[in-house]
Amino acid sequence: MKKINYTLLIFVFTLCSCSENNDGNTSLESNITFNFSHTWDNTLINNTDFNSIKFTNENGEQLSITKLRYLISKIRFTSSKNEIIEVSSYNLIDVTNNATLSFSPNTKIPNGEYNNVSFIFGFDNEDNYTKNYPDLNSASWNVPDVLGGGYHYMQLEGKFLDTSTTETGYAYHAIRAVDNNGSSQQFQDTFFTVNLGSVTLSRDTLFNIEMNVSQWFKAPNTWNLNVLNSMLMPNFNAQVMMFENGQNVFQLKSVSN
């Protein structure tokens, strides 16, 4: 009789364990998704707002957006023990075509407490110059060799009303800053890390991240489109200014699961 009861207990325990493992709340790992939205200051925007002069930058210039694409990479989860879990995937977000605004890496993240979640805007040098990406090549994302090669970080384009109220095109393209004025090329890193803060994972989780597009023209450098509207990729100082303005472009709006 004791043997029968012992066997029954083992069966019940095994059955309960299987049920718990199939429950999403008790899984040891979580799927993560990053959802990107975009604003002009406090006004939500998407590609239906493009191709129409309806925005005003910090310098008082009226402008439109006709293209907005940017790259994120190396998502990192830093644990409470300062151990880093890195998601090596990248994502080219194309607001122009309302595509890839939501990104779900294949890597599952162990549940637990994390001191910080972060991603890189653009590519770091290792990813930018030691790897080849057929999908980015076909998306015309490459940087010419004369400017150092590698890939863009962002393409923001549109038109603005210049001092004579004429619609004039602008191309706000972010790459690694390069100076070709000396005997050899000089570079300055302009990718940057976006820190989203702490999070506790216990189940599949959605990170809602917002880009304030107006911030690219705002601070600490007030952008004058009448002066800086084209040929910005070979402009070393302009690339550094973009890097500085980008530090406060992204904000974590919410985390949900």
Side-chain angles (χ1 to χ4, degrees):
M1 187 68 177
K2 289 182 179 179
K3 183 177 181 181
I4 294 175
N5 288 340
Y6 179 76
T7 304
L8 180 61
L9 285 173
I10 293 295
F11 173 76
V12 172
F13 177 78
T14 303
L15 181 63
C16 292
S17 297
C18 290
S19 298
E20 288 179 354
N21 287 336
N22 289 330
D23 187 343
N25 292 341
T26 58
S27 173
L28 298 178
E29 296 178 317
S30 293
N31 295 301
I32 56 169
T33 299
F34 289 82
N35 186 53
F36 289 85
S37 61
H38 305 83
T39 64
W40 190 273
D41 290 327
N42 296 319
T43 301
L44 188 67
I45 62 174
N46 55 46
N47 63 346
T48 62
D49 298 296
F50 287 12
N51 303 304
S52 177
I53 293 180
K54 60 189 303 182
F55 308 107
T56 303
N57 67 12
E58 189 75 1
N59 202 46
E61 293 142 347
Q62 296 177 284
L63 61 115
S64 68
I65 300 171
T66 59
K67 177 190 288 186
L68 176 55
R69 304 194 298 175
Y70 59 95
L71 186 72
I72 67 160
S73 64
K74 280 194 174 171
I75 299 168
R76 288 174 172 168
F77 286 75
T78 303
S79 75
S80 56
K81 297 180 180 179
N82 288 323
E83 298 169 337
I84 295 176
I85 299 173
E86 182 175 294
V87 179
S88 58
S89 308
Y90 60 89
N91 187 41
L92 178 58
I93 298 163
D94 189 349
V95 188
T96 316
N97 296 317
N98 200 34
T100 59
L101 302 183
S102 188
F103 174 49
S104 299
N106 293 326
T107 304
K108 288 188 175 183
I109 306 300
N111 288 340
E113 295 183 1
Y114 293 89
N115 290 339
N116 189 42
V117 181
S118 66
F119 62 85
I120 286 179
F121 172 77
F123 275 146
D124 66 12
N125 294 333
E126 178 186 4
D127 290 338
N128 205 14
Y129 298 107
T130 63
K131 300 178 183 178
N132 186 49
Y133 307 90
D135 58 330
L136 297 182
N137 298 338
S138 63
S140 300
W141 200 244
N142 308 71
V143 173
D145 289 340
V146 69
L147 296 178
Y151 294 89
H152 283 78
Y153 302 159
M154 181 176 70
Q155 293 175 338
L156 170 57
E157 299 177 7
K159 295 183 177 180
F160 73 101
L161 299 182
D162 64 17
T163 52
S164 64
T165 67
T166 301
E167 287 193 16
T168 303
Y170 70 87
Y172 193 109
H173 288 193
I175 65 171
R176 188 186 187 194
V178 56
D179 186 351
N180 283 328
N181 292 322
S183 58
S184 61
Q185 288 182 318
Q186 300 295 319
F187 294 95
Q188 179 170 320
D189 293 339
T190 49
F191 65 86
F192 56 84
T193 299
V194 177
N195 294 304
L196 302 177
S198 61
V199 65
T200 299
L201 295 184
S202 60
R203 63 189 71 188
D204 294 349
T205 302
L206 172 65
F207 293 83
N208 294 301
I209 303 164
E210 180 183 279
M211 174 198 274
N212 181 4
V213 182
S214 73
Q215 176 60 39
W216 288 109
F217 302 96
K218 184 178 295 187
N221 304 294
T222 301
W223 205 268
N224 186 343
L225 280 173
N226 284 281
V227 176
L228 296 170
N229 56 68
S230 62
M231 296 296 292
L232 300 183
M233 289 172 61
N235 188 326
F236 181 89
N237 291 330
Q239 291 300 321
V240 173
M241 291 168 64
M242 291 180 190
F243 164 79
E244 293 171 344
N245 282 12
Q247 301 304 306
N248 297 309
V249 161
F250 293 97
Q251 179 182 5
L252 178 65
K253 298 300 292 184
S254 64
V255 178
S256 57
N257 47 37

